Amino acid sequence: MSYHKRSAALTSAAVLAGSAVLMAAPVARADVVDVNYQCKTPIGDKSAVSPIDIKGVRSGSGYRITMSWQKGVSSSPVELGKGAMNPSATIVLGGADSGTLTVTGPANQAAIPADTPIKISDLSGTYTPSKTGKVTFTAGVLTIKALGTTTTCTPAGHPGPSLTLDVTAAGGGTSGSAPSGSGASGSASGGQLPQTGPEDSVVALGTLGGTVLLAGAAGALWLTRRHQAVRH
């Protein structure tokens, strides 16, 4: 094989290796989990199962976490007018972090008829990692305030996490457990569901892919110079 072909082959291999590293960039794991809520309401105990979806997207030094319900989990014996119902919830942190994250959202945008399952709007909050590692996000207690009353819905059993993020601590923390409630803050705004996926790992692997590519180019240049030296 001529040195030109060897150089081309080495460069192509380096490009493919860099591309493979980029394609291998890990993404966060997200699962829709059925949660069996046991609710304490002003008119007695009720229960309902709703699939829970939790998504996260990088936002500054933290993550914007959004929780959504695919089914209603409670009902009211009377109609709830527009803006009469205000929901909030907690998300239980696990893995490298611990504590809870509070997520909140807007009041109901339309009237809810009596004896109709209450569809909870998307709830959001900001999570700032205090530890580095894999952090899980699991549905916690849902609170519904309406017409001067409060309904609390607690997950029965031990539902699995709806989201796992591989996070890097803000300010360079180490792996391990954090104190209860650390890195968790709520937000009153709702919004559309963001796409899940931490960016730090992608950036790091992109850098690694670039390093592989540069190493391949350097190898090709060395082969070319070596061949020229032999010819002289």
Side-chain angles (χ1 to χ4, degrees):
M1 180 185 293
S2 68
Y3 81 97
H4 291 295
K5 292 183 178 180
R6 288 198 302 270
S7 299
L10 182 56
T11 302
S12 297
V15 172
L16 290 174
S19 299
V21 171
L22 288 174
M23 291 176 66
V27 297
R29 177 181 176 182
D31 297 304
V32 176
V33 177
D34 288 337
V35 177
N36 182 8
Y37 281 102
Q38 301 298 309
C39 301
K40 299 290 186 180
T41 80
I43 58 173
D45 295 347
K46 295 181 177 295
S47 64
V49 175
S50 177
I52 300 298
D53 186 23
I54 300 177
K55 296 185 183 296
V57 64
R58 190 66 186 263
S59 177
S61 60
Y63 293 83
R64 183 69 171 171
I65 305 299
T66 301
M67 183 179 188
S68 64
W69 283 256
Q70 296 186 5
K71 292 182 180 179
V73 297
S74 185
S75 61
S76 171
V78 298
E79 179 179 301
L80 297 178
K82 179 181 178 180
M85 187 270 294
N86 291 278
S88 63
T90 60
I91 296 176
V92 180
L93 306 177
D97 210 342
S98 62
T100 58
L101 168 69
T102 298
V103 289
T104 58
N108 57 306
Q109 300 299 304
I112 302 174
D115 300 317
T116 300
I118 298 174
K119 178 66 170 67
I120 305 301
S121 59
D122 294 345
L123 305 182
S124 299
T126 299
Y127 167 68
T128 302
S130 61
K131 301 292 181 180
T132 296
K134 294 185 182 299
V135 177
T136 59
F137 298 78
T138 304
V141 177
L142 168 67
T143 300
I144 301 172
K145 293 185 177 181
L147 303 179
T149 67
T150 299
T151 294
T152 56
C153 299
T154 303
H158 298 86
S162 296
L163 174 67
T164 301
L165 285 178
D166 194 353
V167 305
T168 300
T174 57
S175 61
S177 297
S180 176
S182 66
S185 62
S187 172
S189 62
Q192 295 182 344
L193 290 177
Q195 293 184 350
T196 300
E199 297 176 354
D200 287 346
S201 297
V202 176
V203 174
L205 286 169
T207 302
L208 176 59
T211 302
V212 173
L213 182 60
L214 290 174
L221 180 60
W222 179 82
L223 283 176
T224 301
R225 289 181 175 177
R226 181 174 180 274
H227 180 81
Q228 292 175 345
V230 172
R231 291 179 59 184
H232 289 304

